Amino acid sequence: MESKVNETRPELSIPSFPLGSKLIPLIGLGTAEFPFGASNDTLKHTIIEAIRLGYRHFDTAAIYQTEQPLGEAVADALRLGLIESRDELFITSKLWCSDAHRDRVVPALQKTLENLKLEYLDLFLFHWPLSLKPGTYEFPFKEEDIFPTDLNSVWEGMEECQTLGLTKSIGVSNLSCKKLQTILSTAKIPPAVNQVEMNPMWQQKKLRDFCKDKGILVQAYSPLGGRGTVWGSDRLVDSNVLKEIAQAKGKSPAQVCLRWIHEQGVCIIVKSFNKERMKQNLKIFDWELSDDDLHKISQLPQSKGYAAEHFLSDNGPYRSVQEFWDGEI
């Protein structure tokens, strides 16, 4: 059933999905901006504005350097009465690779909570399937800082975070079907989420089908093709197919992209700090794409935006893009 836009309480228009003991709003605001930390002076105000507009789901990560301004915005929103309780928000953060070691996972989450000034996360994600030299927090990182990676022992640390009540749910990011299967083979608590790059020009059907079969919610980052990132492009919003669909619907190509992702049963992480675009990104829940629209979108050329070239090394564990993604791109 589709939501009707509620102009007075826009947050009520956003569909949600049960994730553990909480509902996850199916659209969230991402806070990554490269170079990391570049927008921190204005980010707190952007997040407060997003809460006013109806956003209740926010996505950060240790490496983004945005945990602290997000935490300050949450405190201000409570003080201003924009929300009555922290429980109204869904907050995600991520474990950086230098903490992807069994004994460093819990302390890393404790540090994240300290940055956010929160008692718990709603979702904690294992950011990339790679371990780096402990104590290094930089991206791009040095090739000599790459360590052997033990996905299963890192996942044990993630499970401990949930058992301790530091996070409501745990998940992964940037994992292929094969790597997900590796974690599932020993997991006591399976990943609740896999956050990956996904949009109409990188549709990820095989991965989505695998996750659906395993009960894992897919989250899409770079839903508009990573515009504004080092590797992103405007190929989606410049697509004639998407422009034609948008024009016929009285929508923007960006809204068509987001609506398509929503119709695939996927949670969307948008990232715009522009008030008008933040508002437009929420206006995707009270209309539908036709079967003809969906067919046209299914025929779009496919290519991954960010292939994780920075994560490769001649010394391993990943020597090629195909090895990193297990031949799934």
Side-chain angles (χ1 to χ4, degrees), residues 233-254:
S233 73
D234 289 336
R235 65 194 177 121
L236 280 155
V237 292
D238 289 344
S239 158
N240 286 331
V241 170
L242 296 173
K243 279 181 178 175
E244 284 169 18
I245 294 170
Q247 195 169 3
K249 290 270 187 289
K251 305 294 177 185
S252 69

Side-chain angles (χ1 to χ4, degrees), residues 198-327:
M198 181 190 154
N199 55 61
M201 288 187 175
W202 187 241
Q203 296 185 8
Q204 296 269 38
K205 184 150 184 358
K206 179 188 173 185
L207 182 69
R208 284 191 282 121
D209 287 347
F210 179 88
C211 288
K212 186 176 181 181
D213 184 56
K214 303 294 182 186
I216 298 169
L217 177 68
V218 175
Q219 281 186 338
Y221 71 77
S222 298
L224 304 180
R227 298 172 77 199
T229 64
V230 178
W231 50 267
S233 73
D234 289 336
R235 65 194 177 121
L236 280 155
V237 292
D238 289 344
S239 158
N240 286 331
V241 170
L242 296 173
K243 279 181 178 175
E244 284 169 18
I245 294 170
Q247 195 169 3
K249 290 270 187 289
K251 305 294 177 185
S252 69
Q255 286 172 315
V256 170
C257 288
L258 300 180
R259 177 68 205 183
W260 177 82
I261 295 170
H262 176 65
E263 290 191 16
Q264 310 315 302
V266 170
C267 178
I268 310 163
I269 303 298
V270 291
K271 204 224 77 187
S272 175
F273 298 160
N274 172 287
K275 181 180 176 180
E276 200 47 47
R277 284 199 294 272
M278 286 197 296
K279 206 183 285 188
Q280 286 175 11
N281 288 343
L282 291 181
K283 293 182 176 177
I284 62 166
F285 298 117
D286 60 343
W287 54 279
E288 293 180 351
L289 295 166
S290 69
D291 289 344
D292 187 47
D293 297 334
L294 294 169
H295 176 71
K296 287 175 182 170
I297 292 171
S298 75
Q299 302 300 305
L300 287 171
Q302 297 294 297
S303 63
K304 194 167 191 341
Y306 181 57
E309 297 90 345
H310 295 99
F311 291 78
L312 309 180
S313 166
D314 289 340
N315 301 316
Y318 310 115
R319 294 172 180 80
S320 69
V321 165
Q322 288 300 326
E323 207 173 303
F324 188 92
W325 299 106
D326 299 305

Side-chain angles (χ1 to χ4, degrees), residues 54-105:
Y55 287 89
R56 293 294 181 268
H57 174 182
F58 296 93
D59 182 278
T60 182
I63 195 65
Y64 300 164
Q65 300 174 33
T66 55
E67 291 173 334
Q68 195 170 338
L70 174 54
E72 290 170 2
V74 171
D76 279 7
L78 282 163
R79 195 161 50 245
L80 292 166
L82 298 176
I83 52 173
E84 290 179 16
S85 158
R86 176 264 179 268
D87 295 346
E88 291 177 36
L89 301 179
F90 192 99
I91 310 284
T92 299
S93 194
K94 307 181 193 83
L95 177 81
W96 182 237
C97 303
S98 54
D99 289 318
H101 305 270
R102 174 64 184 88
D103 61 335
R104 294 185 66 89
V105 181

Side-chain angles (χ1 to χ4, degrees), residues 120-149:
Y120 68 90
L121 284 182
D122 296 293
L123 178 63
F124 190 42
L125 300 178
F126 180 4
H127 203 161
W128 288 92
L130 185 77
S131 297
L132 292 174
K133 179 182 175 184
T136 55
Y137 296 89
E138 56 186 12
F139 183 83
F141 44 79
K142 301 183 186 76
E143 193 176 325
E144 60 265 29
D145 287 343
I146 295 175
F147 269 49
T149 308

